[in-house]
Amino acid sequence: MGTWDMGPFGNDGAADLLDDLGAMPVERRLGAIRGVLSTAAAERDYLEAPEGQMAVAAAALIAAARAGSAFPADPVYAPDLTVPEPPRRLAVLAVHALDRVMAPDSELAELWDETDGGQEWLAHLARLRAELTGDVDRGCGPVPRP
């Protein structure tokens, strides 16, 4: 997996998503993000790493775009990328996609599980998930895998 950072944007899949979003009009970005999240959330077999990486990045963009969010957008890899404020249902979809990424039959989860940083990666996803659910104060630990 082409990964250089544990954060939601430090990998090839996220970079591809950010490039694609940056090349399209702002008004089409939420639809593209919805598509990425839907693809990951709906996968019933094996979720490949690139789709998982894009889903995590898309979920982070949704968290950052919500009003009053404490979750930062990506200042390093896409400092000028803007996303309109998403409807609540998109945050719910992002949570489902994150749950799918953390499931046992997810290549991304398997790859991170094989590293020394696997538990820290899960903790990052747990914080992102907590931001999306509005449960920021209680969401600092790892989320158990479904």
Side-chain angles (χ1 to χ4, degrees), residues 70-141:
F71 204 85
D74 183 33
V76 176
Y77 305 113
D80 299 325
L81 184 73
T82 59
V83 176
E85 185 173 343
R88 174 77 185 124
R89 68 182 177 275
L90 209 48
V92 171
L93 179 59
V95 168
H96 290 300
L98 287 176
D99 288 345
R100 183 62 189 87
V101 169
M102 292 185 285
D105 53 352
S106 164
E107 183 181 24
L108 189 58
E110 288 175 2
L111 291 169
W112 275 106
D113 193 43
E114 295 171 358
T115 71
D116 291 338
Q119 288 301 310
E120 188 178 351
W121 177 76
L122 282 174
H124 281 279
L125 292 189
R127 284 189 292 278
L128 174 56
R129 190 181 190 285
E131 174 71 28
L132 289 162
T133 62
D135 196 21
V136 179
D137 292 333
R138 296 186 305 260
C140 293

Side-chain angles (χ1 to χ4, degrees), residues 48-72:
E48 300 289 337
E51 287 79 14
Q53 291 173 334
M54 288 191 297
V56 171
L61 289 171
I62 292 301
R66 294 179 66 205
S69 174
F71 204 85

